[in-house]
Amino acid sequence: MNYIKRICLLLCSFLSMCLADLVHAQPFMHPGLLQNVRDIARMKTAIKEKQDPIYSDFLFFQEHPQSQSTYHMQGPMKMVGRNPTVGQGIYDADANAAYQNALMWALTGEQSYADKAIEIIDAWSSTLKSITGRDAVLMAGLGPFKMVNAAEILRYTHSGWSSSSIENTEKHFREVIYPVIKDFAPFANGNWDAAAMKTMMAIGVFCNDRPIFERALHYYINGAGDGSLLNYIINETGQCQESGRDQSHTQLGIAHLGDCAEMAWHQGLNLYAYADNRLLKGFEYTAKYNLGYDVPYTPAIDMTGKYLYQQLSTEGRGRLRAVYEQIYNHYVNRVGLTAPYTQQAAEKVRPEQQGSPGADHMGFGTLLYSRVAAMGDEDNIRSIPAAPAGLLAKTSSTNGNIITWIASIGVKYYTVKRAERKNGPYSVLARQIPHSLYRDNNVVAGRTYYYTVSAFNKSGKSANAYPVSITSGFRINWKQSVFGGEEGLKDTAVFDGRQFTIIAKGIGIDSLHNQFKFIYTPLNGDGAITFRYIPQISSQFTGFGLVIREGLLDSAPQIALIIKPESSGQAEAPRWHTVLLFRGGAGNKVKTIASGSILSEPVVTFSRLTGYYWLRLQRKGEEFVGYSSVDGKNWAKIGSVTDRIKKRVLAGLAVSSGLSGNATIVSFDQVNLEE
């Protein structure tokens, strides 16, 4: 895909999703993570009738040490961590056992298995208080996924799990696990993002929390980091972001994306088919290479700007992970497509055993996913469709607003609705839309609109989708410009009624010749402009902040209050700080007027901008003062500069990726101009 086109699609990733007062949304299906009622019934029938290949894999599963009701729990612990390691193996072993015992309960009906799974989940939910370490996102994205799947099975199979314990487990997932993964991991290789996404989706379903579920879906289809679908499977050949790193991590990443698609399917959403079955292309490419065949490879820098793998990696080639049965059985046996290399890989490792190491994968896919060819998923197709999900909105000053969404399974057509307030009332814009895209040309520039979609088939109508908002054209009285020749990014900033999301390239804001994206509005005389940074950024070389300048000429005098990494810092561990910069005019070099101390917690953890941060740039007469805050209430002065510039100036937000050929994505809210 053309690079500019791809990053433009990313604009929608951070659009506001109206986290309260929702349009009525369809409830979740339960159990509805990796297994649902039909899956459990299919496996039970095959086991009873000793049908292979399911029965053979069940024998492996049944004999596994972590599938025993006599399993000796290794935890719980108050704290676990990764890099440095604190109880990682202990937690992962117990998570494996919780899931495998929950599934044994569902397949056999023997209460001792349910009791063991409940014991493990209750113990950890009551004890674990924090997840630590540089790799905390991975720690929270791997083992906990199995815990949530176990909890989902137990909760909806009459296991005897008490309501008070269920409530405590919900609280644990929301307050201990979710905060660690809520902003994903755009600073890392894509398997980190993907692990966060699948666990977030699972928590959303288990806790019946639509905003959490939608947050994960939006990131999957349009996130800023390496793990979103189009950033991980980077082109139509199926090449993956980590294909040049090693084959183990590549299989890890695509497997996480596959888990997301399976959970979405159980919620009535065809995430598998998104972007012309891009997930299948990633699996086919990876399976083909690991089976010994040649595949094309094009070196490509990742979204962080840190990783450029020059060659397709041979490290781990041929060591197939237990991840192919799920994908093969969906695309071939459930929906009737072909997947020759994925099929060969599945057959080569059949029957799948536990997805080692640790809790990286579910494994046992031969048991979990095998189905007869053309069996399909008739219950989904015959029922009323699920509400569409993952609504994205983008806008143009000339082409109106474009709304897209994840297709519902078994849908015939859609109805699109619009409102000017998030609580409605919503009016119908169009009926009988056959595809998951709609262009709304009847809009007023500068006005914020809210959209929802419902799905129809012969069985009936779905509920309304979780809404999305967009301000048509751009925020009123605000404009955007690009310095430094990045005209391909001219219109890559949007406002959704609450926050700005900006895509930008460019070396920076502190050089003789500026290269940055500028979002601005007029300031007449004295005043101040303020914003809050919303974590997290994609490029780890990003610079962003506030700028006041005389005009749009590159040589115009400007004062800038910028957050950026130190130029001498390491890419994996940059030292972020806030600086006040001044340039007097044409030919003048930028001067550093003041530099704040290196940012630390709560704004930065492990050299990553993970916390909210406020900046304010104030003009009073000829004095310009920069301030920062970690809470938006208590402000620290960074520095000041005095200069005589025009009364009427431009004040706004500036973003640069720190790289000439790679873009960054930054979001801001609480943007305010006081005059």
Side-chain angles (χ1 to χ4, degrees):
M1 182 184 290
N2 177 273
Y3 183 72
I4 299 299
K5 181 179 179 181
R6 180 163 64 91
I7 61 175
C8 286
L9 287 173
L10 289 168
L11 274 172
C12 310
S13 175
F14 293 103
L15 296 180
S16 170
M17 295 186 293
C18 313
L19 297 182
D21 302 316
L22 309 180
V23 171
H24 175 66
Q26 180 166 304
F28 290 105
M29 299 297 294
H30 296 292
L33 298 183
L34 290 184
Q35 284 79 49
N36 65 10
V37 171
R38 293 185 297 279
D39 292 323
I40 293 169
R42 171 175 47 80
M43 286 185 277
K44 289 177 71 173
T45 298
I47 293 165
K48 181 180 179 180
E49 298 177 359
K50 297 184 178 181
Q51 298 172 0
D52 277 334
I54 290 178
Y55 183 66
S56 294
D57 203 20
F58 174 71
L59 295 180
F60 281 110
F61 179 76
Q62 180 178 235
E63 295 302 317
H64 194 278
Q66 291 167 341
S67 297
Q68 307 307 310
S69 62
T70 56
Y71 171 84
H72 179 70
M73 183 168 50
Q74 298 185 31
M77 302 171 64
K78 291 183 178 180
M79 180 183 74
V80 295
R82 180 165 173 155
N83 191 13
T85 298
V86 181
Q88 177 186 342
I90 293 172
Y91 184 94
D92 286 352
D94 283 354
N96 288 339
Y99 172 69
Q100 289 172 216
N101 271 271
L103 192 58
M104 282 295 296
W105 146 252
L107 296 178
T108 68
E110 293 185 22
Q111 186 64 41
S112 60
Y113 292 115
D115 292 343
K116 177 56 65 174
I118 290 168
E119 174 194 355
I120 296 169
I121 294 172
D122 283 353
W124 280 99
S125 296
S126 300
T127 306
L128 182 62
K129 303 302 179 186
S130 64
I131 299 175
T132 62
R134 187 175 183 86
D135 297 357
V137 174
L138 277 181
M139 183 75 221
L142 296 174
F145 182 64
K146 291 196 171 184
M147 287 285 196
V148 184
N149 271 268
E152 177 80 359
I153 292 171
L154 294 169
R155 186 175 188 176
Y156 296 101
T157 54
H158 308 289
S159 66
W161 196 16
S162 71
S163 58
S164 60
S165 292
I166 292 171
E167 184 178 342
N168 186 58
T169 299
E170 277 198 13
K171 182 179 179 181
H172 169 73
F173 290 153
R174 288 180 185 274
E175 297 181 4
V176 178
I177 308 299
Y178 178 68
V180 182
I181 60 174
K182 70 179 180 64
D183 295 318
F184 310 97
F187 47 78
N189 282 293
N191 73 84
W192 289 49
D193 264 344
M197 280 188 289
K198 74 175 189 178
T199 301
M200 188 181 301
M201 281 184 68
I203 290 173
V205 173
F206 179 77
C207 295
N208 292 293
D209 192 314
R210 184 65 60 170
I212 288 179
F213 182 75
E214 290 279 343
R215 184 176 179 86
L217 281 180
H218 276 77
Y219 202 89
Y220 184 101
I221 62 177
N222 220 13
D226 285 334
S228 65
L229 181 66
L230 298 182
N231 289 340
Y232 198 76
I233 305 172
I234 65 174
N235 57 37
E236 292 291 332
T237 71
Q239 178 181 325
C240 298
Q241 182 262 319
E242 295 184 272
S243 294
R245 181 187 183 192
D246 62 61
Q247 298 311 305
S248 293
H249 282 100
T250 302
Q251 292 175 88
L252 179 66
I254 57 174
H256 292 335
L257 296 177
D259 285 343
C260 291
E262 185 69 10
M263 289 186 290
W265 185 269
H266 287 155
Q267 296 304 323
L269 301 169
N270 197 356
L271 193 58
Y272 276 113
Y274 200 85
D276 192 24
N277 297 306
R278 179 66 71 89
L279 178 65
L280 176 60
K281 293 172 184 176
F283 268 90
E284 283 290 279
Y285 178 98
T286 304
K288 184 177 181 179
Y289 182 63
N290 282 279
L291 288 166
Y293 300 98
D294 292 332
V295 294
Y297 183 77
T298 303
I301 195 166
D302 79 315
M303 296 302 293
T304 73
K306 298 186 296 185
Y307 307 123
L308 176 59
Y309 304 116
Q310 295 289 352
Q311 297 178 335
L312 183 57
S313 178
T314 60
E315 184 178 343
R317 187 181 187 187
R319 293 200 294 269
L320 296 171
R321 286 191 162 200
V323 300
Y324 292 96
E325 289 278 29
Q326 179 195 90
I327 304 304
Y328 160 67
N329 277 283
H330 171 78
Y331 284 107
V332 177
N333 291 337
R334 188 186 262 159
V335 299
L337 299 179
T338 59
Y341 299 107
T342 302
Q343 180 174 349
Q344 289 180 48
E347 291 171 346
K348 191 170 183 178
V349 297
R350 185 176 295 157
E352 277 187 5
Q353 299 188 38
Q354 191 184 58
S356 59
D360 278 10
H361 308 293
M362 288 297 190
F364 301 111
T366 310
L367 166 66
L368 298 178
Y369 303 112
S370 292
R371 59 184 64 241
V372 176
M375 177 185 289
D377 200 353
E378 291 298 320
D379 287 346
N380 258 335
I381 294 170
R382 292 173 182 168
S383 63
I384 294 173
L391 271 64
L392 302 175
K394 61 180 180 178
T395 186
S396 157
S397 58
T398 57
N399 295 322
N401 299 334
I402 298 175
I403 314 302
T404 61
W405 54 89
I406 299 168
S408 303
I409 299 169
V411 68
K412 184 176 182 181
Y413 55 83
Y414 301 95
T415 294
V416 181
K417 304 172 187 178
R418 188 182 76 180
E420 294 186 15
R421 294 180 299 174
K422 63 183 178 182
N423 296 330
Y426 283 78
S427 59
V428 173
L429 284 181
R431 303 180 190 273
Q432 299 189 351
I433 303 299
H435 306 295
S436 52
L437 180 149
Y438 179 74
R439 186 187 300 274
D440 181 11
N441 292 315
N442 186 23
V443 296
V444 177
R447 184 172 294 175
T448 299
Y449 297 98
Y450 297 83
Y451 295 90
T452 188
V453 181
S454 55
F456 291 76
N457 64 14
K458 62 182 181 181
S459 297
K461 178 183 72 171
S462 78
N464 288 323
Y466 191 85
V468 67
S469 62
I470 189 73
T471 300
S472 183
F474 206 46
R475 185 177 180 178
I476 195 165
N477 295 327
W478 285 70
K479 297 180 179 179
Q480 48 185 304
S481 184
V482 176
F483 294 99
E486 303 289 355
E487 287 302 317
L489 295 177
K490 184 177 180 180
D491 293 325
T492 51
V494 295
F495 181 68
D496 68 357
R498 185 181 66 89
Q499 73 181 44
F500 286 94
T501 298
I502 301 170
I503 292 179
K505 294 184 181 179
I507 295 298
I509 308 164
D510 55 356
S511 60
L512 180 63
H513 299 289
N514 290 299
Q515 289 187 341
F516 66 91
K517 186 69 183 283
F518 187 41
I519 314 302
Y520 63 90
T521 190
L523 171 62
N524 295 295
D526 293 347
I529 185 168
T530 305
F531 73 59
R532 182 178 72 163
Y533 156 71
I534 301 174
Q536 296 183 33
I537 54 174
S538 52
S539 167
Q540 299 304 293
F541 301 89
T542 298
F544 62 90
L546 296 167
V547 170
I548 293 177
R549 58 182 0 251
E550 279 195 352
L552 294 178
L553 293 176
D554 184 61
S555 60
Q558 69 177 24
I559 299 92
L561 182 64
I562 302 298
I563 299 170
K564 64 172 188 173
E566 286 188 336
S567 58
S568 60
Q570 298 295 316
E572 289 290 348
R575 300 203 304 167
W576 298 90
H577 61 144
T578 308
V579 295
L580 182 66
L581 306 173
F582 171 70
R583 189 182 68 178
N588 292 340
K589 293 184 178 181
V590 173
K591 297 180 180 179
T592 299
I593 304 302
S595 179
S597 59
I598 301 299
L599 296 178
S600 59
E601 291 187 345
V603 181
V604 172
T605 55
F606 296 106
S607 302
R608 300 156 185 159
L609 284 170
T610 56
Y612 292 100
Y613 195 54
W614 286 256
L615 291 183
R616 175 177 294 162
L617 185 56
Q618 182 181 61
R619 175 183 184 173
K620 189 172 183 179
E622 297 179 359
E623 183 182 38
F624 298 83
V625 186
Y627 301 91
S628 67
S629 174
V630 298
D631 58 10
K633 300 175 182 178
N634 301 294
W635 294 87
K637 182 178 178 180
I638 300 298
S640 64
V641 61
T642 300
D643 189 68
R644 183 176 298 175
I645 64 175
K646 294 178 181 178
K647 181 177 180 181
R648 180 179 173 84
V649 294
L650 303 178
L653 288 60
V655 176
S656 66
S657 67
L659 303 164
S660 59
N662 213 38
T664 190
I665 302 176
V666 190
S667 293
F668 309 93
D669 66 2
Q670 300 185 22
V671 177
N672 185 41
L673 180 68
E674 301 173 10
E675 293 187 271

